[in-house]
Each structure stands twice: as C-alpha cells, then as structure tokens.
Amino acid sequence: MNKKKLKIILFALTGFGNAVLKRLISNKNVFVSSVITEKYDNPFPYYKETQLLEFCHTKKIPCYYDITIS
C-alpha cells in the first residue's frame, strides 16, 4: 500500500522552530515543502542555535524569510 506523505509548510522562528523542523523531517510520513522564517543579523540570543534559514539550506529545504504575508 502506497501512502501519500503529509505536505507541510512550516512557519517558525529560530530556536523552537529548529526542533520542530528536525522532528518533522525525521518523520517518514511528512514532506516539508518549505519554511517561512525571519533572518537575524546577530546570533540567536538565548542559546547556541543555527539560524533556521541556514539549517534549511543544509537540508535542501526551500526557505523564505522576511516576507509579508497578508
């Protein structure tokens, strides 16, 4: 039986969003088609974390940042 994957567009920020994205991409029933986030000029201020934008790049997931959605 061939199951279809759940297609996800993730709206997230660096930090908690990294953990959510890691969990989603580890799930074989989920396909993350893209991520919407913000780009920071400085390192993440609360703890050591890769910017979500950079993490997406390493995983070859399209990432859009600093856009207005209305």
Side-chain angles (χ1 to χ4, degrees):
M1 188 162 136
N2 190 3
K3 284 185 167 181
K4 288 188 176 186
K5 291 186 176 187
L6 179 65
K7 188 184 279 188
I8 300 286
I9 297 174
L10 179 65
F11 291 77
L13 298 174
T14 297
F16 184 68
N18 292 54
V20 172
L21 181 57
K22 287 175 188 174
R23 187 70 173 171
L24 287 171
I25 61 178
S26 71
N27 186 324
K28 65 180 181 173
N29 298 314
V30 172
F31 172 71
V32 180
S33 63
S34 61
V35 175
I36 311 294
T37 190
E38 286 187 25
K39 182 178 180 183
Y40 301 102
D41 294 330
N42 300 312
F44 187 65
Y46 304 108
Y47 50 88
K48 187 174 174 138
E49 186 64 80
T50 303
Q51 278 200 46
L52 192 54
L53 173 67
E54 295 169 8
F55 181 70
C56 289
H57 181 72
T58 63
K59 299 296 182 183
K60 296 183 172 50
I61 299 171
C63 185
Y64 305 96
Y65 57 92
D66 296 336
I67 61 174
T68 302
I69 299 174
S70 36

